Amino acid sequence: MALQTQMSSSQTAAAGAANNSGGKVSRACDACRVRKVRCSGDQPCAQCAHLNLACNFAPAPPKRKPGVRGRLVAQLRNKSSSHGGNKLKSSPPNTAVIQTGSVSGGDTPSAGSSPAAGGVPVTSIAGIVDGLYNTSPRSEPSYSITGCGFSPDFFLGLLPEFEELVYPVNPIMSPSEIQAAIHNMHNEYEDAALVHAYAAVTINLTKTSWTMNGCDVASQMCTLMQYSLWAHRKADMGREGDGYPGGLQGEMPVTVKRILTCIWLEICFMAFKRFDRSFAILREGIGMAQMMNIHQHREGDSRLSHTEVCRQQRIYWEMYIHERFLFIMSGFPCIMVPLQTGLPFHDDSIPTHVAIGWNRLILLFQNMDDPFLGYWAAQQDPSAPQPGAELTSQWIESKQAQLDKDEAGAQEAEEEMIAGGCGTLVELQHVDLFITRLWLRTLVWQLALSQGLLRSTPTQNTHEGLSLHFPAQRLSAQLRNLVSRLKSISSVVFHGSGILQKLFEITSTVADVLALPRATNQTQEEARARLEDFFFLVQFIFSFERSQKHQRDYLREKLEVLQKMYTVVDFRDLAGASPTTSSGEPAVRVDRNIEGDLTAAPYM
């Protein structure tokens, strides 16, 4: 009966909204109001029906209370009327009255004194404002935060995917903590912002297509992101009301939840290639981390529990990693420095494989040190300040050697973990570490190329990273080997747009190398193998619906160049082909003809 009454009231509200002013909608449903889109006023409305959202009409808001300015004026009038108001109105404040208005001995307050001010009459706006916040007792205002059409069950239903696919590469807040925030999201704006950002980032990192089960994933993400930003800003201002120290006069709320909301929104903006918004919201999170003095935490800090110190260290390093990736993608500057304490302290509250995988990723990105950033900025913008030291082949070799050492260190760490009975890294972590390492090798190679440090045939004692053909000779083969061993190619997409961008950078670099004249010491058989690897990688990227159109177009242009170089190659089915057939073999193979040229033919 109560449910029928509730539905009836909602339908009445919707009908009233639609019928007002000759069919003009006077009040939108909750979801349309938050998304700032036109509402049809139906139950459900057209927008909610299209996105499969719960369509609710909140009760009409009560009559607005007088604003702060109105309250101040009213309080001034009340005080003036109760303390010889005519005299106070007609004459300016009397400092003598203020000086003699205090209570001394058995004296009673004078007629011009204010009990709330301890015998001192209020003669300024500041005094009124202070009075609003210092009078007691005042009860905290009660309110309920409406959502944007998604039920708690929707958010709870994402937890298994979050735990399996997001948490291992984002080990800040556990699924149980997210669950608690879901149950509290109608009471705290901070939790509302966090929960909607969590849903957006989980959808972003777990959906392989922009359309799933008839649902527009991009629109769903945008709705969640917009509401999260709205709630994030509401939390920024604090709770406002009579007697409650909210708004701009209150202390800015700085918490791990709010920082994590910024990080998750930054990841989501990256999916839409909004590097500007990603940078802005990430920089906000970095600013809050600096206000929390995370860089000053030490082991045994009595102000925080050990678990909380470790969590804050992990969130600091995550922003360190994301800031550097954004720098490469967009050129926005980096301000974060490595923590003096090094890697996050050991934390028993997170699984061993998650901690080890996370630490290996931190170590990998620490290779992007200040000299690296300086050289890269100078390469992208010649007008930028030049690094103090000149980029040399020795530096290139040392950086590639560091990546060699990291690769060996990651393998040793996993072997120790297995020997200790702690399991192994999951495929998701393997993919992240492996592709990121190849991407960094590609960036170092590009730096060497920009300075003319590469050689067609390097000497025997130099690192192979100084070879002009290094990406095609080593990186493409390693990447193909990784892809061939994946149990599911979704392990790549689950890292979002960042990993696809890295794949594109590696593959396009391989294409540039293959378009060069063949090395004098490279055999025809080796050339065929390199071309096979490249075909495989192009197919792999084209198989993802979420790969960018401009990336596809660029690789098609490269394929056309290679087609002219390597006799006749059939690329008609390449763009939409799957990277492997049901038997696990490439969908396009390279055949050898009698003359030793290269031709391509699809498997039948």
Side-chain angles (χ1 to χ4, degrees):
M1 187 67 180
L3 180 60
Q4 293 177 349
T5 304
Q6 182 179 2
M7 292 178 62
S8 176
S9 62
S10 298
Q11 292 170 350
T12 303
N19 295 331
N20 188 38
S21 302
K24 181 180 179 181
V25 177
S26 60
R27 191 159 57 87
C29 70
D30 297 346
C32 291
R33 175 170 49 80
V34 170
R35 296 174 59 226
K36 292 183 170 56
V37 297
R38 183 181 296 278
C39 182
S40 65
D42 300 324
Q43 182 76 16
C45 70
Q47 292 281 351
C48 291
H50 173 66
L51 294 176
N52 196 23
L53 300 176
C55 187
N56 298 315
F57 286 81
K63 185 177 179 181
R64 290 184 61 185
K65 296 180 180 180
V68 174
R69 181 184 177 90
R71 294 200 303 273
L72 296 178
V73 173
Q75 192 165 354
L76 282 168
R77 287 174 177 168
N78 291 338
K79 289 182 179 296
S80 63
S81 62
S82 61
H83 302 298
N86 290 336
K87 180 178 180 181
L88 189 58
K89 289 179 189 176
S90 58
S91 60
N94 188 339
T95 57
V97 173
I98 295 176
Q99 293 172 354
T100 60
S102 60
V103 179
S104 175
D107 297 340
T108 59
S110 63
S113 66
S114 169
V120 181
V122 179
T123 57
S124 67
I125 296 297
I128 296 293
V129 174
D130 289 340
L132 287 174
Y133 295 149
N134 292 332
T135 53
S136 60
R138 293 286 184 116
S139 60
E140 184 177 316
S142 60
Y143 60 87
S144 178
I145 304 171
T146 59
C148 62
F150 296 96
S151 67
D153 288 341
F154 167 79
F155 297 105
L156 293 171
L158 293 172
L159 281 173
E161 291 178 304
F162 172 82
E163 184 172 11
E164 179 185 1
L165 302 172
V166 181
Y167 184 70
V169 292
N170 194 285
I172 310 302
M173 192 158 287
S174 67
S176 61
E177 291 171 315
I178 297 296
Q179 184 176 14
I182 293 172
H183 292 310
N184 195 47
M185 65 180 178
H186 293 299
N187 300 322
E188 297 288 345
Y189 284 116
E190 179 179 271
D191 285 326
L194 176 74
V195 167
H196 285 76
Y198 136 82
V201 78
T202 302
I203 291 171
N204 177 35
L205 298 181
T206 60
K207 307 305 178 187
T208 59
S209 171
W210 286 118
T211 304
M212 299 291 290
N213 300 322
C215 178
D216 187 341
V217 172
S219 296
Q220 195 177 55
M221 281 180 58
C222 286
T223 299
L224 291 164
M225 292 164 62
Q226 187 169 350
Y227 185 90
S228 178
L229 276 170
W230 172 81
H232 185 66
R233 295 299 168 224
K234 293 293 289 185
D236 212 18
M237 300 296 293
R239 296 182 179 179
E240 299 183 55
D242 284 343
Y244 195 89
L248 293 176
Q249 296 182 11
E251 184 178 0
M252 179 177 177
V254 177
T255 65
V256 168
K257 287 183 179 180
R258 301 200 69 226
I259 297 175
L260 189 55
T261 297
C262 292
I263 293 174
W264 283 343
L265 289 174
E266 172 251 330
I267 295 173
C268 292
F269 280 126
M270 288 285 290
F272 297 104
K273 300 300 177 185
R274 290 310 326 169
F275 298 126
D276 50 353
R277 293 187 180 273
S278 290
F279 176 75
I281 197 70
L282 178 64
R283 186 57 67 87
E284 180 180 346
I286 293 172
M288 287 193 281
Q290 291 173 331
M291 285 188 279
M292 292 175 68
N293 294 319
I294 294 179
H295 59 286
Q296 296 180 1
H297 291 342
R298 297 292 184 270
E299 194 160 13
D301 195 328
S302 59
R303 296 171 297 175
L304 299 170
S305 68
H306 177 77
T307 300
E308 185 60 28
V309 170
C310 296
R311 185 213 302 270
Q312 293 187 16
Q313 288 177 330
R314 292 195 298 273
I315 204 170
Y316 182 97
W317 280 114
E318 180 163 6
M319 290 186 289
Y320 175 95
I321 291 171
H322 289 198
E323 186 186 43
R324 273 155 171 71
F325 180 73
L326 265 174
F327 167 75
I328 298 297
M329 293 295 101
S330 62
F332 293 125
C334 294
I335 62 173
M336 300 192 77
V337 298
L339 287 176
Q340 294 181 357
T341 51
L343 297 174
F345 302 143
H346 177 73
D347 184 2
D348 290 329
S349 68
I350 64 174
T352 302
H353 75 278
V354 171
I356 291 179
W358 186 242
N359 289 346
R360 296 310 312 182
L361 192 63
I362 294 171
L363 291 171
L364 197 51
F365 269 88
Q366 282 191 279
N367 287 285
M368 299 177 68
D369 50 19
D370 288 341
F372 184 104
L373 300 179
Y375 291 137
W376 187 265
Q379 176 208 11
Q380 301 297 312
D381 183 9
S383 63
Q386 298 296 311
E390 182 182 358
L391 179 59
T392 63
S393 58
Q394 289 77 18
W395 185 89
I396 296 294
E397 283 191 285
S398 67
K399 191 58 66 175
Q400 292 286 7
Q402 288 177 20
L403 294 171
D404 290 338
K405 184 178 179 181
D406 179 88
E407 186 172 352
Q411 184 175 352
E412 292 175 3
E414 186 169 16
E415 290 174 353
E416 291 177 1
M417 184 172 62
I418 296 173
C422 300
T424 181
L425 299 180
V426 298
E427 186 172 84
L428 196 70
Q429 295 172 297
H430 279 297
V431 168
D432 194 11
L433 292 171
F434 197 92
I435 293 181
T436 299
R437 189 180 301 111
L438 294 185
W439 173 68
L440 288 174
R441 289 191 185 280
T442 302
L443 298 183
V444 174
W445 182 89
Q446 291 177 2
L447 284 175
L449 177 67
S450 68
Q451 298 299 314
L453 300 176
L454 299 177
R455 297 293 179 265
S456 173
T457 54
T459 61
Q460 188 175 1
N461 296 328
T462 58
H463 193 281
E464 60 180 329
L466 284 173
S467 169
L468 192 61
H469 299 273
F470 173 64
Q473 288 175 340
R474 175 174 173 179
L475 303 189
S476 61
Q478 286 185 324
L479 187 54
R480 178 180 179 177
N481 184 44
L482 169 72
V483 172
S484 300
R485 290 185 287 110
L486 292 179
K487 295 179 181 178
S488 171
I489 62 173
S490 298
S491 298
V492 175
V493 188
F494 290 157
H495 287 282
S497 60
I499 207 75
L500 290 177
Q501 180 65 37
K502 294 173 185 176
L503 277 173
F504 170 73
E505 289 288 342
I506 297 168
T507 306
S508 61
T509 301
V510 171
D512 293 335
V513 173
L514 290 175
L516 297 173
R518 198 175 68 196
T520 56
N521 61 344
Q522 186 182 51
T523 65
Q524 186 78 359
E525 188 68 22
E526 289 174 338
R528 291 192 189 95
R530 299 293 78 79
L531 194 58
E532 286 181 350
D533 293 339
F534 176 68
F535 282 173
F536 185 88
L537 296 180
V538 171
Q539 289 178 281
F540 187 63
I541 293 177
F542 282 1
S543 69
F544 296 116
E545 179 189 330
R546 294 179 66 170
S547 60
Q548 299 294 313
K549 180 181 180 300
H550 74 275
Q551 295 175 348
R552 290 170 174 259
D553 293 341
Y554 182 84
L555 291 177
R556 287 192 185 100
E557 293 177 4
K558 294 296 182 181
L559 288 168
E560 291 175 2
V561 173
L562 295 176
Q563 183 180 17
K564 297 175 182 178
M565 293 181 61
Y566 294 96
T567 319
V568 179
V569 179
D570 186 2
F571 299 113
R572 288 173 299 179
D573 298 327
L574 188 59
S578 169
T580 57
T581 65
S582 58
S583 62
E585 293 295 327
V588 171
R589 62 188 172 98
V590 179
D591 288 339
R592 299 164 178 82
N593 61 16
I594 298 176
E595 292 77 20
D597 292 329
L598 300 178
T599 60
Y603 276 103
M604 304 304 292

